[in-house]
Amino acid sequence: MAKALPKIALSVSRDIPFNKLVLSQSNVRRIKAGVAIEELADDIARRTLLQSLTVRPVCDADGNETGLYEVPAGGRRYRALELLIKKKRLPKTAPIPCVIRAGGIAEEDSLAENVQRAPLHPLDQFRAFLTLREKGQSEEEIAAAFFVSVQVVRQRLRLAAVAPALLDVYAEDGMSLEHLMAFTVNPDHARQEQVWEALQHSPRKEPYQIRRLLTEGSVRVSDKRALFVGTTAYEEAGGTILRDLFESDDGGWLQEPALLEKLVADKLEKEADAIRAEGWKWIEVAPELPYGHTYGLRRLRGREVPMTEDEVAARDAFQAEFDQLEAKYAEADEIPDEVDQRLGELETALAAFDERPVVYETDEISRAGAFVSIDSAGVLHVERGYVQPEDELPVENEDGDAEGDGTKPEKLSANGTEADPNDDSAVDDPEEDETDGVRPISDRLMTELTTHRTLALRDAVANDPDVAFRATLHVLCLRLFYRYGFDTCLEIEAKTVLFGNTSGLSDTACAKAIDTRHKQWSDWMPKNAGELWDALADLDSDSRHALFAHCVGLTINAVHQAYDRRPKALHHAGRLATAVNLDMAAAGWIPTADAYLGRVTKARILDAVREAKGDKAADRIAHLKKPEMVKAAERLLDGTGWLPEPLRTAGIEPIDSGEAPRVAAAE
């Protein structure tokens, strides 16, 4: 017959006045962890004590109870109650629910209470927050009740809203919390489950892969088209935005690219209508125009509208305030936020005064046009006053001949009529009667005379480098800044090549620098090309050299074209890059998916990572499929300065294990 197990006798419990309780030295918790005492006190004040204290009677030397009780388990609750008493929110004699222990060891009580406690699974917490909200509590109320930020509450509510099937996987430890966080990017449960199913065939399931798949086909809020339209207008039109509450996402992703394109087109067209109303002959509208789209077109100079007295006074006031603040905080280690913000506002206001509106003549507007696009910051960009070649008026030279159509003027006879090319009457004749009066010099003699002069001029200029430099600069400026630059005798042709429609080229730092510099020189150029020679003479030496370098730079063509093999020209481009120590990484080129990684083979991707970060880094991503490999490589190469072979410059060492490029020491 089986022996009956002894009955269990539970420890008695009763309320004991707080002033009869003392902390025990037997509490095994020595390291602070979890909720702070202050927060626990606030929670007790809000909900009262949810868990009783475990106490033991305090005995004297003879073993007799003294009426006091020590607290070996529940020390944090004891300190929280003590804090409430100090704040006069609880009387010293307040009855405290206690479980009185007699047998065993005090340290065992403390250890068992902490070890046997099962922590709450994160999913239970997420669902509990969701239940509280469903029962009417706001996110702010939940945050206040549990002493967390509203952002934390929103994150946990978002986690609880993931597809139930994936929550079950998480509950069974089939995925990590980081994976679950990645799934919150897209609320579509069906899409979440599709992505998880697709990842089952991948040896590695990285959270970034989940985010990428869930936002595939979306447009980032930081995209210039999204900035141009604005998220408010996009959402009012029915668009949705995905946001990641757990990682920086630049504002999220726009889910309806087609809707965004329509909104962009509509807004651009509306803005273009306002430009058309100014009377321009043509308007070209596009979100992004190819770099060099104005090449071959003459730009009207126009006239800047002078500032009014009120505008001058306002600008002077802003400048004075800016100078005062800058001087006041020049030596300060840190500028207050409000002062920094004000300085930014003043800089913006002053810049607006510098960008004066330009007025054009009515007859010029009727022959010219404008380009309407979006700049890299998502702001409307309007380029007014460009004249197409077919809209140019005929230009007359000093002899009254029309120029500008590329044809040579017809040869004229002595009396000004068109000469017959087979008629030798205008040729010099040694037998000619000298009494016939002064007749024009024959073309043959004129050719001989000017041939002698040309030869002598070549020798003279060759012996005067300053004039030679100025003459070369003159012809470069005529070709690059004037539509019809015929005012030169130098047979030097300056051309600037047009690039293909490479996306984002206009937004690069190099393109902006060139465009700004070209506009500054263009504004300086005399309106009449005939005045250019004297204008160049008035320039100081440094300015002439700067203008010369700008013009020469515009003529460089180091573009590889499949249909036009120019190995010697490209070799020279390499030597030129070495001479100026060109570093494409410093110039802003980054190996992104669009710029390089997504357009080469996996072998080249691995070679790039191996060269920049080492063999171990390359081996870690070698097993990935190409889309995942591209994304991983993009992260690994970020900030390394790695460059593909066509972008490298001799004299700058290649990347080695993630180090920045170094200029090779001269031998």
Side-chain angles (χ1 to χ4, degrees):
M1 184 175 178
K3 185 177 180 180
L5 295 174
K7 299 293 185 181
I8 298 173
L10 299 177
S11 300
V12 298
S13 61
R14 76 172 198 222
D15 293 342
I16 300 175
F18 183 81
N19 60 354
K20 298 294 184 182
L21 301 177
V22 294
L23 272 178
S24 171
Q25 297 302 313
S26 302
N27 196 315
V28 298
R29 187 189 292 272
R30 296 285 187 269
I31 301 172
K32 294 182 179 179
V35 181
I37 299 299
E38 293 77 6
E39 293 179 358
L40 181 56
D42 290 341
D43 189 74
I44 293 173
R46 177 185 177 86
R47 279 181 279 266
T48 75
L49 193 63
L50 299 179
Q51 185 178 356
S52 60
L53 305 182
T54 299
V55 302
R56 286 175 173 270
V58 177
C59 300
D60 58 19
D62 298 327
N64 300 315
E65 294 186 7
T66 62
L68 298 177
Y69 294 85
E70 63 176 355
V71 184
R76 293 179 62 257
R77 278 163 279 155
Y78 175 89
R79 290 189 180 90
L81 293 168
E82 185 179 44
L83 181 60
L84 291 173
I85 291 172
K86 287 181 180 179
K87 291 182 176 181
K88 308 295 185 184
R89 302 191 66 186
L90 193 68
K92 292 182 180 180
T93 57
I96 308 301
C98 297
V99 174
I100 303 174
R101 294 274 297 154
I105 302 171
E107 285 80 3
E108 186 180 353
D109 297 344
S110 176
L111 181 62
E113 182 180 88
N114 287 282
V115 172
Q116 297 301 329
R117 178 189 301 158
L120 188 67
H121 193 281
L123 183 56
D124 291 329
Q125 186 188 78
F126 307 154
R127 286 170 169 165
F129 274 41
L130 183 60
T131 300
L132 292 176
R133 192 180 65 174
E134 290 173 348
K135 290 188 175 181
Q137 287 194 23
S138 67
E139 294 173 354
E140 290 74 13
E141 289 173 333
I142 297 173
F146 291 93
F147 309 102
V148 294
S149 67
V150 176
Q151 176 70 2
V152 169
V153 173
R154 289 173 180 161
Q155 289 175 342
R156 293 173 183 175
L157 290 173
R158 183 74 70 85
L159 287 165
V162 173
L166 300 184
L167 291 178
D168 292 341
V169 174
Y170 171 62
E172 297 172 1
D173 297 328
M175 71 170 70
S176 68
L177 179 59
E178 286 71 23
H179 288 103
L180 191 66
M181 289 160 59
F183 277 110
T184 65
V185 169
N186 191 328
D188 186 341
H189 287 181
R191 180 60 181 153
Q192 290 174 358
E193 293 177 9
Q194 287 175 359
V195 169
W196 180 247
E197 180 63 28
L199 287 177
Q200 302 314 301
H201 306 291
S202 174
R204 299 188 67 181
K205 307 174 183 64
E206 298 294 338
Y208 75 82
Q209 296 174 257
I210 297 173
R211 288 185 175 87
R212 181 184 61 78
L213 292 172
L214 288 174
T215 57
E216 219 167 23
S218 304
V219 178
R220 280 200 177 269
V221 170
S222 56
D223 186 280
K224 68 179 184 180
R225 294 167 298 170
L227 294 173
F228 177 66
V229 171
T231 55
T232 301
Y234 171 78
E235 290 179 308
E236 288 176 352
T240 56
I241 301 177
L242 301 182
R243 291 186 173 89
D244 193 338
L245 294 182
F246 298 94
E247 287 194 2
S248 174
D249 59 7
D250 294 328
W253 296 267
L254 278 63
Q255 281 296 92
E256 289 79 18
L259 173 62
L260 176 63
E261 293 291 349
K262 180 181 182 303
L263 294 174
V264 169
D266 291 346
K267 186 173 180 179
L268 270 178
E269 196 59 35
K270 183 178 179 181
E271 298 285 0
D273 287 340
I275 309 301
R276 289 190 185 94
E278 298 174 6
W280 300 102
K281 181 178 181 180
W282 53 267
I283 299 287
E284 185 172 337
V285 185
E288 182 175 355
L289 294 165
Y291 182 71
H293 58 278
T294 60
Y295 177 72
L297 307 181
R298 179 174 64 88
R299 187 171 190 179
L300 302 177
R301 294 296 175 85
R303 174 176 52 85
E304 281 193 357
V305 178
M307 288 192 291
T308 63
E309 292 182 1
D310 291 340
E311 288 177 324
V312 172
R315 183 196 62 184
D316 292 344
F318 287 146
Q319 187 65 57
E321 183 182 356
F322 182 86
D323 294 341
Q324 182 181 7
L325 289 174
E326 199 172 46
K328 182 178 179 181
Y329 292 95
E331 304 298 330
D333 294 334
E334 187 174 349
I335 300 177
D337 291 341
E338 61 275 10
V339 175
D340 187 54
Q341 180 180 352
R342 181 55 181 165
L343 285 171
E345 293 171 353
L346 291 171
E347 284 181 340
T348 303
L350 289 170
F353 284 112
D354 294 335
E355 298 175 2
R356 304 300 302 160
V358 179
V359 177
Y360 302 93
E361 299 297 333
T362 304
D363 61 328
E364 291 182 326
I365 292 178
S366 63
R367 291 186 290 109
F371 296 96
V372 180
S373 59
I374 308 171
D375 68 13
S376 58
V379 178
L380 183 72
H381 183 56
V382 181
E383 300 167 278
R384 293 176 174 85
Y386 286 91
V387 183
Q388 295 178 344
E390 59 267 25
D391 295 325
E392 292 283 6
L393 294 176
V395 180
E396 291 187 353
N397 60 23
E398 294 177 357
D399 298 326
D401 300 324
E403 292 182 351
D405 57 0
T407 61
K408 296 181 180 179
E410 296 290 341
K411 183 178 179 181
L412 300 180
S413 65
N415 60 5
T417 60
E418 291 187 8
D420 183 351
N422 298 316
D423 183 9
D424 292 333
S425 62
V427 179
D428 55 309
D429 184 358
E431 303 296 331
E432 186 176 324
D433 188 353
E434 296 181 1
T435 62
D436 289 347
V438 178
R439 302 183 64 182
I441 297 176
S442 68
D443 286 345
R444 179 180 297 174
L445 179 57
M446 183 66 75
T447 299
E448 290 181 5
L449 293 175
T450 53
T451 299
H452 285 283
R453 184 172 185 267
T454 298
L455 191 62
L457 187 59
R458 285 182 177 182
D459 184 54
V461 170
N463 286 283
D464 193 331
D466 289 339
V467 172
F469 178 83
R470 180 173 155 200
T472 305
L473 178 58
H474 179 252
V475 70
L476 288 174
C477 290
L478 287 172
R479 297 292 189 260
L480 297 171
F481 287 93
Y482 294 90
R483 179 64 189 170
Y484 301 114
F486 301 111
D487 302 56
T488 181
C489 63
L490 273 64
E491 295 290 340
I492 295 176
E493 187 65 33
K495 297 188 297 182
T496 180
V497 67
L498 281 176
F499 300 122
N501 190 12
T502 302
S503 180
L505 196 61
S506 301
D507 297 331
T508 62
C510 292
K512 291 178 179 178
I514 293 172
D515 293 344
T516 300
R517 189 166 56 245
H518 193 77
K519 183 181 184 303
Q520 290 170 345
W521 281 117
S522 181
D523 293 342
W524 172 85
M525 293 284 163
K527 190 170 184 179
N528 187 346
E531 301 172 2
L532 177 61
W533 178 259
D534 293 333
L536 292 175
D538 294 335
L539 275 180
D540 60 84
S541 177
D542 289 343
S543 297
R544 275 200 298 268
H545 280 82
L547 177 56
F548 182 81
H550 173 70
C551 291
V552 171
L554 290 178
T555 68
I556 294 173
N557 180 11
V559 179
H560 167 83
Q561 298 286 5
Y563 57 83
D564 185 16
R565 305 287 185 179
R566 302 181 304 127
K568 292 183 178 180
L570 297 181
H571 176 69
H572 177 252
R575 300 184 69 176
L576 198 60
T578 301
V580 297
N581 196 28
L582 178 65
D583 184 349
M584 286 299 296
W589 190 88
I590 302 172
T592 62
D594 293 335
Y596 181 78
L597 297 171
R599 302 162 67 179
V600 296
T601 63
K602 291 175 64 175
R604 283 195 176 273
I605 297 173
L606 292 175
D607 285 344
V609 173
R610 185 174 292 107
E611 188 175 6
K613 303 293 288 185
D615 291 337
K616 291 183 179 179
D619 292 342
R620 284 200 303 270
I621 67 170
H623 65 282
L624 298 176
K625 292 183 178 179
K626 186 173 179 180
E628 290 77 20
M629 182 183 289
V630 168
K631 190 72 173 179
E634 193 175 57
R635 289 189 299 108
L636 288 169
L637 295 176
D638 185 31
T640 64
W642 180 87
L643 296 171
E645 190 65 33
L647 297 186
R648 296 182 185 179
T649 299
I652 296 181
E653 293 184 4
I655 300 303
D656 183 15
S657 300
E659 295 180 2
R662 301 180 299 277
V663 178
E667 295 183 0

